Short mmCIF file of all heavy atoms in Angstrom, two decimals:
data_model
loop_
_atom_site.label_atom_id
_atom_site.label_comp_id
_atom_site.label_asym_id
_atom_site.label_seq_id
_atom_site.Cartn_x
_atom_site.Cartn_y
_atom_site.Cartn_z
N ARG U 107 49.44 -32.49 33.36
CA ARG U 107 49.64 -31.18 32.72
C ARG U 107 49.34 -30.07 33.72
O ARG U 107 48.49 -30.21 34.59
CB ARG U 107 48.71 -31.03 31.51
CG ARG U 107 48.94 -32.03 30.40
CD ARG U 107 48.11 -31.68 29.17
NE ARG U 107 46.69 -31.64 29.49
CZ ARG U 107 45.88 -32.68 29.42
NH1 ARG U 107 46.34 -33.87 29.05
NH2 ARG U 107 44.59 -32.55 29.71
N LEU U 108 50.05 -28.95 33.54
CA LEU U 108 49.72 -27.78 34.34
C LEU U 108 48.43 -27.16 33.82
O LEU U 108 48.11 -27.28 32.63
CB LEU U 108 50.85 -26.75 34.26
CG LEU U 108 52.19 -27.09 34.88
CD1 LEU U 108 53.12 -25.87 34.85
CD2 LEU U 108 52.04 -27.58 36.31
N PRO U 109 47.69 -26.47 34.69
CA PRO U 109 46.50 -25.77 34.21
C PRO U 109 46.85 -24.78 33.10
O PRO U 109 47.94 -24.24 33.05
CB PRO U 109 46.01 -25.03 35.48
CG PRO U 109 46.56 -25.83 36.61
CD PRO U 109 47.89 -26.36 36.15
N GLU U 110 45.89 -24.55 32.22
CA GLU U 110 46.15 -23.69 31.06
C GLU U 110 45.80 -22.23 31.31
O GLU U 110 46.08 -21.39 30.46
CB GLU U 110 45.37 -24.22 29.85
CG GLU U 110 45.83 -25.60 29.41
CD GLU U 110 45.15 -26.07 28.16
OE1 GLU U 110 44.31 -25.32 27.62
OE2 GLU U 110 45.45 -27.19 27.70
N THR U 111 45.20 -21.93 32.45
CA THR U 111 44.81 -20.55 32.75
C THR U 111 45.58 -20.01 33.94
O THR U 111 46.10 -20.77 34.77
CB THR U 111 43.31 -20.46 33.06
OG1 THR U 111 43.05 -21.18 34.29
CG2 THR U 111 42.48 -21.06 31.94
N TYR U 112 45.65 -18.69 34.01
CA TYR U 112 46.28 -18.02 35.14
C TYR U 112 45.59 -18.43 36.44
O TYR U 112 46.25 -18.75 37.44
CB TYR U 112 46.18 -16.51 34.93
CG TYR U 112 46.59 -15.68 36.12
CD1 TYR U 112 47.92 -15.38 36.37
CD2 TYR U 112 45.63 -15.19 37.02
CE1 TYR U 112 48.30 -14.62 37.47
CE2 TYR U 112 45.99 -14.42 38.11
CZ TYR U 112 47.34 -14.13 38.33
OH TYR U 112 47.70 -13.39 39.42
N GLU U 113 44.26 -18.44 36.43
CA GLU U 113 43.50 -18.77 37.64
C GLU U 113 43.78 -20.21 38.08
O GLU U 113 43.89 -20.50 39.28
CB GLU U 113 42.00 -18.56 37.40
CG GLU U 113 41.59 -17.12 37.23
CD GLU U 113 41.95 -16.54 35.84
OE1 GLU U 113 42.26 -17.34 34.93
OE2 GLU U 113 41.89 -15.32 35.70
N GLY U 114 43.88 -21.11 37.10
CA GLY U 114 44.17 -22.49 37.43
C GLY U 114 45.55 -22.66 38.02
O GLY U 114 45.75 -23.42 38.99
N LEU U 115 46.53 -21.98 37.48
CA LEU U 115 47.89 -22.01 38.03
C LEU U 115 47.92 -21.45 39.44
O LEU U 115 48.58 -21.99 40.32
CB LEU U 115 48.83 -21.23 37.13
CG LEU U 115 49.16 -21.85 35.77
CD1 LEU U 115 49.79 -20.81 34.85
CD2 LEU U 115 50.07 -23.06 35.93
N LEU U 116 47.21 -20.37 39.64
CA LEU U 116 47.21 -19.69 40.93
C LEU U 116 46.61 -20.58 42.03
O LEU U 116 46.93 -20.41 43.21
CB LEU U 116 46.40 -18.40 40.83
CG LEU U 116 46.60 -17.34 41.91
CD1 LEU U 116 48.05 -16.91 42.01
CD2 LEU U 116 45.71 -16.13 41.61
N ALA U 117 45.79 -21.53 41.64
CA ALA U 117 45.17 -22.42 42.62
C ALA U 117 46.10 -23.54 43.08
O ALA U 117 45.78 -24.24 44.05
CB ALA U 117 43.89 -23.02 42.03
N LEU U 118 47.25 -23.70 42.41
CA LEU U 118 48.17 -24.76 42.79
C LEU U 118 48.94 -24.41 44.07
O LEU U 118 49.20 -23.23 44.32
CB LEU U 118 49.17 -25.02 41.66
CG LEU U 118 48.62 -25.60 40.36
CD1 LEU U 118 49.73 -25.65 39.31
CD2 LEU U 118 48.04 -26.98 40.60
N PRO U 119 49.35 -25.41 44.84
CA PRO U 119 50.14 -25.14 46.05
C PRO U 119 51.44 -24.39 45.71
O PRO U 119 52.15 -24.75 44.78
CB PRO U 119 50.47 -26.54 46.57
CG PRO U 119 49.40 -27.42 46.00
CD PRO U 119 49.06 -26.85 44.67
N GLY U 120 51.70 -23.33 46.47
CA GLY U 120 52.96 -22.60 46.32
C GLY U 120 53.06 -21.70 45.12
O GLY U 120 54.12 -21.09 44.89
N VAL U 121 52.00 -21.57 44.32
CA VAL U 121 52.04 -20.72 43.13
C VAL U 121 51.33 -19.40 43.44
O VAL U 121 50.13 -19.37 43.68
CB VAL U 121 51.39 -21.41 41.92
CG1 VAL U 121 51.35 -20.46 40.72
CG2 VAL U 121 52.16 -22.67 41.55
#
Side-chain angles (χ1 to χ4, degrees):
R107 298 188 301 271
L108 293 187
E110 296 185 0
T111 65
Y112 171 84
E113 292 76 15
L115 290 165
L116 198 58
L118 293 175
V121 175

